[in-house]
Amino acid sequence: MATNDLTEAEDFGHVGYLAKSLAHLRAGYPIGELDVPLVLYVAPTQADVDNARHMARILVVRWPDLA
């Protein structure tokens, strides 16, 4: 059963990274571990994905080169 509606394309892009980072922090892991790829093992919830999409939209508006 899927815990979110993150698409495969989003999973490997900005939205996926943000969603996984939010899930990692929500689970109580230190922010310093976000740069370690294998540490992001907490599955993002739908709220994490929705928040990540919102954050990504704002980032692209402010910094269009990120798109």
Side-chain angles (χ1 to χ4, degrees):
M1 182 172 113
T3 58
N4 60 59
D5 65 354
L6 191 66
T7 67
E8 186 175 347
E10 288 175 323
D11 191 27
F12 292 102
H14 295 68
V15 173
Y17 181 77
L18 289 168
K20 292 171 192 171
S21 296
L22 290 170
H24 180 82
L25 295 171
R26 181 181 37 75
Y29 292 100
I31 197 167
E33 292 180 352
L34 289 178
D35 288 337
V36 181
L38 298 178
V39 176
L40 299 174
Y41 53 84
V42 179
T45 63
Q46 186 61 46
D48 295 326
V49 173
D50 292 341
N51 289 331
R53 286 178 179 140
H54 176 72
M55 292 167 68
R57 279 193 299 273
I58 290 172
L59 289 171
V60 169
V61 166
R62 293 183 191 228
W63 295 283
D65 293 341
L66 292 176

